[in-house]
Amino acid sequence: MAKRKAENRSFLDKWEAEYLFTYVKDKPVCLVCGVNVAVSKEYNIRRHYETKHHDKYKDLDMTQRSQKVEEMKISLVSQQNMFKKATSQSDAAVKASYIVTAEIAKSARPFNEGEFMKKCMMKVCDLVCPEKKQAFSNVSLSRNTVADRTCDLATNLYDQLMEKGKDFVAFSLAVDESCDASDTAQLSVFIRGVDSNLCVTEELLGFKSMHGTTTGKEIFEEVSKCVTEIKLPWDKLVGLTTDGAPAMCGKKSGLVGMVREKMREENCAGELTVYHCIIHQEALCAKALKMEHVMTTVTQVVNFIRAKGLNHRQFKSFLEECGSEYADVPYHTEVRWLSRGKVLNRCFELREEICQFLETKGKDTAELREQKFLCELAFLCDISSHLDALNLQLQGRGRIITDMYAAVRAFKTKLCLWENQMLQGNPCHFPCCQSIKAQISTAVFPCAQFAEKLSVLAAEFSRRFADFDAQKCTFELLSNPFAVDVENAPTNIQMELIELQYNDTLKSKYDAVGAAQFPRFIPDTMPQLRTQAAQMLSMFGSTYLCEQLLLDEDDQNNSQETSD
């Protein structure tokens, strides 16, 4: 009985000519009106034909019916293709909208930029492919659409992060609290997690506006909320990098102390490694030079030139008349560290033109022409350029802490070299100093004084980076495990480390792919080394990402205010 029932419900080819039906996606479809019949039974198909279409097609013989069926099937396929094309174009328009929205979000541009981009797209379309104008017009990029799409993308990224977080064997946090342009405290939290395959994921974990006080307890509550919401276990937290503020570093009431207390409550076996942002410390080291009087004088000169529109216009005209290769002097902003070096270098290059301009304004330029001041300005220009170069080395996404530490160590070695060369009266790596020294008496140029300042700067670097120096052996396990003294390594990895160092295949792989990629090739038979590598790869060396996020937000807010 079951077999006969199944046979009765199979579509037969002869029904095409008899009842003008065809079979599409497991359903009988009427070729005349396009109606689907739920059950593939001859009775249902015949009843539909006889009640709806019999009178119109009853006079056709079988040959005519067959021809009619072929025509109708071709028409049906054409309609289906048209619907598929429409659906495909609609999906493409939505996808394009998301792609453009992602680019707008990544560049921190205001949402209404989408409308401007849509106008540009339509102009290009009119010239390049006018026949595709409707397809371009279907891409929705209105302000509200871009805002909604951005929320969708953010939600999707958060969901992806939660999914990846399930596989993290170690993760670290970078936390920074800074005020934006409206003096609202913004707390940003970034996470870097490493999974069992030693693949690194670096993402924004939380961004919170704090309108009241920003005590260590309040910061901890927000950070704890971020970690809890993404369902990350506290025993996988291995590193915490902060901006060094008291509310962050306090051992009891600060973020660091409270995170450690939370880990004790969770019975976490591992020890939390805490770092003060390398970039912050590098900027603080520069203050040991104690040359603020030079920077103050330069800032006053720049402000005099640029603060008033008339002075600024006249100065630019003066430079043009002099045939200078520079057209202006930039402002110095304390929070943008790299602006310091740019201002100093420009003022040094334009020192003669600046003096002449100030004299036309009745200003006293005696200090600016003093040999002592010029020597100090030249030294500060050169050392600021070197510090700026280091600063740039330490910036960027995905920076491995061992590489950042290596850059700092290299700079400390350079300082020792520069100190010795300066004592010998040979400032070969200080071009501005060389320029001034050539203009004045060698006896007047204070080489010993500048050598002392380089010594002080080197000592400050050693003091501030002492916590990184203490981790030197641990860093080498990631940067060059084949050169580590096994006796100085932690006991739990010594056996595996010996096996690694005597494995020629792994040594060849290390030479081929480099330190950053090599940990992925450590075999599963060395679990302790893989865990150690995962922990080091997860470490943040700076809070650069947090600060860059705040700068991008300020730029976006400024653009938004301008457009409004």
Side-chain angles (χ1 to χ4, degrees):
M1 183 70 182
K3 182 178 180 182
R4 198 174 82 184
K5 181 177 181 181
E7 289 175 353
N8 288 342
R9 294 191 178 185
S10 298
F11 187 85
L12 302 181
D13 294 339
K14 67 177 183 179
W15 294 348
E16 287 188 350
E18 289 182 9
Y19 307 124
L20 303 180
F21 263 77
T22 190
Y23 203 60
V24 179
K25 294 183 179 180
D26 300 329
K27 288 185 179 181
V29 179
C30 177
L31 289 169
V32 180
C33 62
V35 170
N36 297 333
V37 174
V39 181
S40 183
K41 293 175 63 176
E42 183 178 10
Y43 171 77
N44 294 342
I45 294 172
R46 184 175 66 248
R47 186 178 65 175
H48 175 85
Y49 171 74
E50 290 178 349
T51 57
K52 302 288 186 180
H53 313 300
H54 177 267
D55 293 340
K56 184 175 181 180
Y57 297 101
K58 64 182 179 180
D59 296 332
L60 298 178
D61 58 28
M62 289 306 295
T63 302
Q64 292 173 325
R65 280 177 172 273
S66 297
Q67 292 176 350
K68 192 67 176 176
V69 166
E70 292 303 319
E71 293 174 1
M72 289 179 173
K73 287 171 72 175
I74 292 173
S75 177
L76 178 64
V77 170
S78 176
Q79 292 178 16
Q80 290 174 335
N81 289 338
M82 182 180 68
F83 288 128
K84 287 180 181 178
K85 183 178 180 181
T87 302
S88 176
Q89 289 180 344
S90 177
D91 291 344
V94 173
K95 185 177 180 179
S97 177
Y98 273 105
I99 291 173
V100 174
T101 296
E103 294 301 318
I104 291 174
K106 284 191 287 187
S107 61
R109 296 182 179 276
F111 295 146
N112 58 8
E113 285 285 310
E115 297 171 351
F116 172 73
M117 295 180 70
K118 177 74 172 287
K119 291 179 182 178
C120 294
M121 286 166 48
M122 298 305 297
K123 295 289 184 182
V124 172
C125 179
D126 288 340
L127 293 176
V128 178
C129 49
E131 71 280 2
K132 299 287 186 180
K133 187 172 183 177
Q134 186 58 47
F136 278 80
S137 179
N138 290 338
V139 180
S140 178
L141 291 173
S142 67
R143 180 172 181 169
N144 289 339
T145 299
V146 171
D148 292 340
R149 298 270 194 266
T150 302
C151 291
D152 292 342
L153 292 170
T155 301
N156 180 264
L157 287 173
Y158 189 81
D159 292 341
Q160 288 185 51
L161 183 59
M162 283 192 69
E163 193 62 30
K164 290 179 179 180
K166 297 176 182 177
D167 297 327
F168 286 167
V169 296
F171 73 92
S172 295
L173 300 176
V175 185
D176 180 272
E177 180 268 309
S178 300
C179 289
D180 59 16
S182 63
D183 288 332
T184 300
Q186 303 288 357
L187 179 70
S188 49
V189 183
F190 273 82
I191 183 173
R192 182 186 288 169
V194 182
D195 61 21
S196 55
N197 295 319
L198 298 184
C199 294
V200 180
T201 299
E202 188 177 80
E203 272 296 343
L204 175 66
L205 183 60
F207 189 64
K208 174 71 174 179
S209 297
M210 305 183 72
H211 298 282
T213 56
T214 54
T215 62
K217 180 180 179 181
E218 289 165 327
I219 293 174
F220 167 74
E221 288 173 353
E222 293 298 334
V223 172
S224 178
K225 183 179 178 182
C226 291
V227 174
T228 303
E229 285 180 349
I230 205 170
K231 300 179 181 178
L232 289 171
W234 285 94
D235 61 347
K236 299 291 177 64
L237 177 62
V238 296
L240 176 62
T241 302
T242 71
D243 57 11
M248 297 285 185
C249 298
K251 294 182 179 180
K252 290 186 178 180
S253 58
L255 173 65
V256 171
M258 291 188 172
V259 169
R260 282 179 169 154
E261 180 63 28
K262 176 67 175 179
M263 293 179 70
R264 283 193 290 268
E265 293 175 1
E266 297 287 333
N267 297 317
C268 301
E271 179 65 26
L272 179 69
T273 303
V274 178
Y275 293 112
H276 180 184
C277 170
I278 289 180
I279 299 177
H280 275 210
Q281 296 199 77
E282 184 259 358
L284 292 172
C285 285
K287 295 184 180 298
L289 293 170
K290 297 189 182 302
M291 300 187 73
E292 290 82 2
H293 60 287
V294 178
M295 196 67 220
T296 299
T297 300
V298 170
T299 303
Q300 289 173 349
V301 169
V302 172
N303 287 344
F304 175 78
I305 293 172
R306 297 205 51 161
K308 293 184 178 180
L310 177 60
N311 287 351
H312 192 197
R313 292 193 300 272
Q314 289 176 340
F315 180 70
K316 290 196 291 184
S317 298
F318 178 74
L319 292 179
E320 187 176 351
E321 292 171 3
C322 294
S324 173
E325 62 176 303
Y326 301 107
D328 203 356
V329 289
Y331 264 128
H332 166 53
T333 306
E334 190 67 29
V335 295
R336 295 181 184 260
W337 301 317
L338 296 182
S339 68
R340 175 190 179 101
K342 293 177 181 178
V343 172
L344 286 168
N345 275 284
R346 184 65 57 84
C347 287
F348 181 80
E349 294 294 336
L350 295 174
R351 60 189 182 279
E352 186 58 38
E353 289 87 345
I354 288 175
C355 286
Q356 292 176 14
F357 177 76
L358 292 179
E359 286 168 355
T360 64
K361 292 291 183 177
K363 294 291 184 179
D364 183 14
T365 59
E367 181 183 3
L368 298 178
R369 294 186 181 277
E370 285 180 1
Q371 290 184 345
K372 178 183 177 183
F373 176 82
L374 290 174
C375 291
E376 291 180 335
L377 175 61
F379 175 76
L380 189 56
C381 282
D382 287 330
I383 195 62
S384 295
S385 295
H386 289 308
L387 287 167
D388 288 350
L390 173 61
N391 194 293
L392 288 172
Q393 276 186 277
L394 300 175
Q395 293 183 18
R397 293 184 65 94
R399 298 306 308 272
I400 300 174
I401 193 169
T402 53
D403 292 343
M404 300 176 75
Y405 174 65
V408 172
R409 287 180 62 198
F411 190 80
K412 288 162 66 176
T413 303
K414 291 177 184 178
L415 286 172
C416 293
L417 173 66
W418 296 336
E419 180 187 352
N420 293 331
Q421 290 176 336
M422 193 67 75
L423 283 172
Q424 298 167 10
N426 178 26
C428 56
H429 297 288
F430 289 68
C432 294
C433 287
Q434 285 181 304
S435 175
I436 289 296
K437 188 179 178 184
Q439 296 177 17
I440 64 176
S441 171
T442 302
V444 175
F445 190 81
C447 288
Q449 176 187 339
F450 294 153
E452 176 63 24
K453 288 190 175 296
L454 290 171
S455 175
V456 170
L457 185 59
E460 186 69 6
F461 264 82
S462 297
R463 184 183 72 83
R464 286 195 171 274
F465 289 98
D467 52 344
F468 287 89
D469 293 336
Q471 298 286 332
K472 180 181 177 181
C473 182
T474 305
F475 289 160
E476 287 179 346
L477 286 171
L478 179 65
S479 60
N480 191 3
F482 295 93
V484 174
D485 185 350
V486 175
E487 293 185 2
N488 294 330
T491 55
N492 65 315
I493 65 172
Q494 287 179 339
M495 298 299 100
E496 294 181 6
L497 187 59
I498 292 173
E499 293 177 13
L500 176 74
Q501 292 180 348
Y502 282 89
N503 190 312
D504 292 336
T505 302
L506 291 176
K507 181 66 169 68
S508 299
K509 181 61 72 174
Y510 173 84
D511 294 336
V513 302
Q517 299 298 324
F518 175 71
R520 299 183 185 181
F521 297 95
I522 299 175
D524 294 335
T525 54
M526 302 177 181
Q528 296 298 327
L529 278 176
R530 288 180 65 86
T531 300
Q532 182 74 26
Q535 292 176 351
M536 292 308 303
L537 286 171
S538 74
M539 295 287 186
F540 281 101
S542 74
T543 57
Y544 166 81
L545 293 176
C546 302
E547 292 162 15
Q548 191 62 41
L549 176 67
L550 183 62
L551 290 175
D552 290 343
E553 191 212 15
D554 283 344
D555 291 341
Q556 184 176 13
N557 289 338
N558 291 337
S559 299
Q560 192 70 41
E561 290 172 4
T562 302
S563 62
D564 289 343

